[in-house]
Amino acid sequence: MSTVQVIIMILALAAGVMVTRFVPFVLFPENRQVPKTVEYLGSVLPPAVIALLVVYCLRNVDFLHGSFGLPEILSILAICGLHTWKRNSLLSIAGGTILYMILLHFIG
């Protein structure tokens, strides 16, 4: 890419980020009530996205051969346990990922 193309790309990305950051404040100012539809989506979408990610991550796991999905199952249980215990998403994700990598190395 030429220097001009790189500059145009950086400016386009910056404009895109600014628009996505500022539009919610323009559409929903502090003195205005948030629509019920937006509140509903805000309460329903996060668990739905997490469920979709779990299904996506487990789509290629073969529970009938090899390690029988043991690293995946143990890691999911560890994530659930850590999150129930500490209520810290970063700790849960990091702990589950580290455990999964260790289990893949020794079991998988």
Side-chain angles (χ1 to χ4, degrees):
M1 294 177 75
S2 70
T3 305
V4 174
Q5 289 173 326
V6 170
I7 291 172
I8 291 172
M9 184 180 68
I10 291 171
L11 291 174
L13 289 170
V17 168
M18 288 174 56
V19 166
T20 58
R21 296 290 181 158
F22 295 146
V23 166
F25 294 103
V26 172
L27 293 177
F28 308 114
E30 277 189 57
N31 57 357
R32 192 170 146 206
Q33 180 71 20
V34 177
K36 295 291 183 193
T37 307
V38 175
E39 286 183 9
Y40 172 74
L41 290 175
S43 66
V44 174
L45 283 180
V49 169
I50 296 298
L52 184 67
L53 285 172
V54 170
V55 169
Y56 179 78
C57 290
L58 296 177
R59 75 188 188 289
N60 292 327
V61 176
D62 188 3
F63 292 103
L64 301 176
H65 298 95
S67 62
F68 304 103
L70 193 60
E72 290 83 1
I73 293 169
L74 292 176
S75 298
I76 289 172
L77 291 174
I79 290 169
C80 293
L82 277 171
H83 194 71
T84 302
W85 178 40
K86 289 292 186 178
R87 298 275 183 216
N88 185 331
S89 297
L90 291 177
L91 176 66
S92 304
I93 293 169
T97 302
I98 291 168
L99 177 64
Y100 179 67
M101 291 299 147
I102 291 170
L103 291 172
L104 272 185
H105 182 70
F106 290 109
I107 295 176

